[in-house]
Protein backbone atom coordinates (compact mmCIF):
# COMPACT_ATOMS: atom_id res chain seq x y z
CA UNK A 1 0.00 0.00 0.00
CA UNK A 2 2.97 2.30 -0.23
CA UNK A 3 2.52 4.96 -2.86
CA UNK A 4 5.31 6.69 -4.75
CA UNK A 5 5.17 10.17 -3.22
CA UNK A 6 8.67 10.19 -1.78
CA UNK A 7 9.91 12.46 -4.55
CA UNK A 8 8.26 14.89 -6.92
CA UNK A 9 8.74 15.07 -10.68
CA UNK A 10 11.88 17.17 -10.33
CA UNK A 11 13.27 14.65 -7.83
CA UNK A 12 13.17 17.03 -4.86
CA UNK A 13 11.82 15.66 -1.62
CA UNK A 14 8.30 16.72 -0.70
CA UNK A 15 7.16 17.63 2.78
CA UNK A 16 5.77 15.00 5.12
CA UNK A 17 2.44 16.79 5.30
CA UNK A 18 2.13 16.85 1.50
CA UNK A 19 3.01 13.15 1.34
CA UNK A 20 0.37 12.27 3.94
CA UNK A 21 -2.25 14.46 2.23
CA UNK A 22 -1.65 12.81 -1.15
CA UNK A 23 -1.51 9.34 0.37
CA UNK A 24 -4.80 9.86 2.23
CA UNK A 25 -6.44 11.30 -0.90
CA UNK A 26 -5.36 8.37 -3.06
CA UNK A 27 -6.58 5.77 -0.58
CA UNK A 28 -9.92 7.56 -0.22
CA UNK A 29 -10.24 7.63 -4.01
CA UNK A 30 -9.62 3.86 -4.20
CA UNK A 31 -11.30 2.36 -1.13
CA UNK A 32 -10.94 -1.15 -2.58
CA UNK A 33 -7.27 -0.98 -1.62
CA UNK A 34 -8.38 -1.13 2.03
CA UNK A 35 -10.58 -4.21 1.63
CA UNK A 36 -7.87 -6.81 2.36
CA UNK A 37 -6.90 -5.01 5.57
CA UNK A 38 -10.55 -4.66 6.53
CA UNK A 39 -11.05 -8.41 6.07
CA UNK A 40 -8.00 -9.18 8.21
CA UNK A 41 -9.22 -6.71 10.86
CA UNK A 42 -12.62 -8.42 10.96
CA UNK A 43 -10.87 -11.75 11.53
CA UNK A 44 -8.65 -10.50 14.34
CA UNK A 45 -5.70 -8.33 15.20
CA UNK A 46 -3.71 -6.72 12.37
CA UNK A 47 -0.06 -5.73 12.74
CA UNK A 48 1.22 -3.14 10.28
CA UNK A 49 4.96 -3.00 9.69
CA UNK A 50 7.18 -0.17 8.54
CA UNK A 51 10.86 0.63 8.18
CA UNK A 52 10.23 4.22 9.31
CA UNK A 53 12.01 5.25 12.47
CA UNK A 54 9.13 7.44 13.60
CA UNK A 55 5.86 5.55 13.20
CA UNK A 56 3.81 8.71 13.71
CA UNK A 57 5.50 10.25 10.66
CA UNK A 58 4.98 7.21 8.44
CA UNK A 59 2.05 6.09 6.33
CA UNK A 60 0.81 3.69 9.03
CA UNK A 61 -1.35 6.16 10.98
CA UNK A 62 -3.13 7.08 7.74
CA UNK A 63 -3.82 3.42 6.93
CA UNK A 64 -5.02 2.76 10.48
CA UNK A 65 -7.29 5.82 10.44
CA UNK A 66 -8.84 4.97 7.07
CA UNK A 67 -9.32 1.27 7.82
CA UNK A 68 -11.00 1.99 11.16
CA UNK A 69 -13.16 4.67 9.54
CA UNK A 70 -14.18 2.31 6.72
CA UNK A 71 -15.06 -0.41 9.24
CA UNK A 72 -17.20 2.05 11.22
CA UNK A 73 -19.00 3.16 8.05
CA UNK A 74 -19.60 -0.46 7.07
CA UNK A 75 -21.00 -1.24 10.52
CA UNK A 76 -23.24 1.84 10.42
CA UNK A 77 -24.65 0.86 7.03
CA UNK A 78 -25.42 -2.63 8.37
CA UNK A 79 -27.60 -1.08 11.08
CA UNK A 80 -29.83 0.67 8.54
CA UNK A 81 -32.93 -1.07 7.26
CA UNK A 82 -32.72 -2.22 3.66
CA UNK A 83 -36.49 -2.07 3.39
CA UNK A 84 -39.35 -0.90 5.55
CA UNK A 85 -39.53 -2.86 8.79
CA UNK A 86 -42.47 -5.16 9.32
CA UNK A 87 -44.62 -3.72 12.08
CA UNK A 88 -47.35 -6.37 11.95
CA UNK A 89 -46.51 -7.44 15.48
CA UNK A 90 -47.67 -4.01 16.73
CA UNK A 91 -51.20 -4.42 15.29
CA UNK A 92 -54.00 -5.87 17.37
CA UNK A 93 -54.48 -9.59 16.71
CA UNK A 94 -57.83 -8.98 14.96
CA UNK A 95 -56.08 -6.85 12.27
CA UNK A 96 -53.28 -9.26 11.42
Amino acid sequence: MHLNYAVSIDRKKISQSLFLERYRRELKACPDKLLPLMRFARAGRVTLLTAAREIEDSHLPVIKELVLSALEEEDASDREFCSSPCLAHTLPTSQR
Side-chain angles (χ1 to χ4, degrees):
M1 292 198 113
H2 186 68
L3 306 177
N4 191 18
Y5 290 128
V7 292
S8 64
I9 294 173
D10 62 2
R11 294 294 199 202
K12 292 182 181 177
K13 289 191 180 245
I14 64 172
S15 70
Q16 183 69 14
S17 61
L18 183 58
F19 164 78
L20 293 175
E21 175 188 327
R22 289 179 181 179
Y23 191 68
R24 182 178 280 109
R25 190 177 337 134
E26 181 156 336
L27 286 176
K28 284 184 176 181
C30 302
D32 290 349
K33 290 182 178 183
L34 297 176
L35 288 177
L37 288 176
M38 291 171 65
R39 288 186 188 116
F40 288 130
R42 291 268 184 225
R45 186 179 191 143
V46 174
T47 302
L48 301 173
L49 303 176
T50 183
R53 292 177 192 240
E54 299 295 329
I55 293 173
E56 296 79 25
D57 295 333
S58 74
H59 60 290
L60 294 186
V62 174
I63 292 174
K64 178 182 176 183
E65 168 197 333
L66 294 177
V67 168
L68 291 176
S69 176
L71 290 170
E72 287 175 12
E73 287 178 26
E74 190 175 76
D75 290 346
S77 69
D78 286 345
R79 286 185 224 117
E80 296 176 10
F81 292 115
C82 294
S83 61
S84 300
C86 178
L87 301 175
H89 67 282
T90 63
L91 296 173
T93 309
S94 61
Q95 293 180 348
R96 289 188 205 172

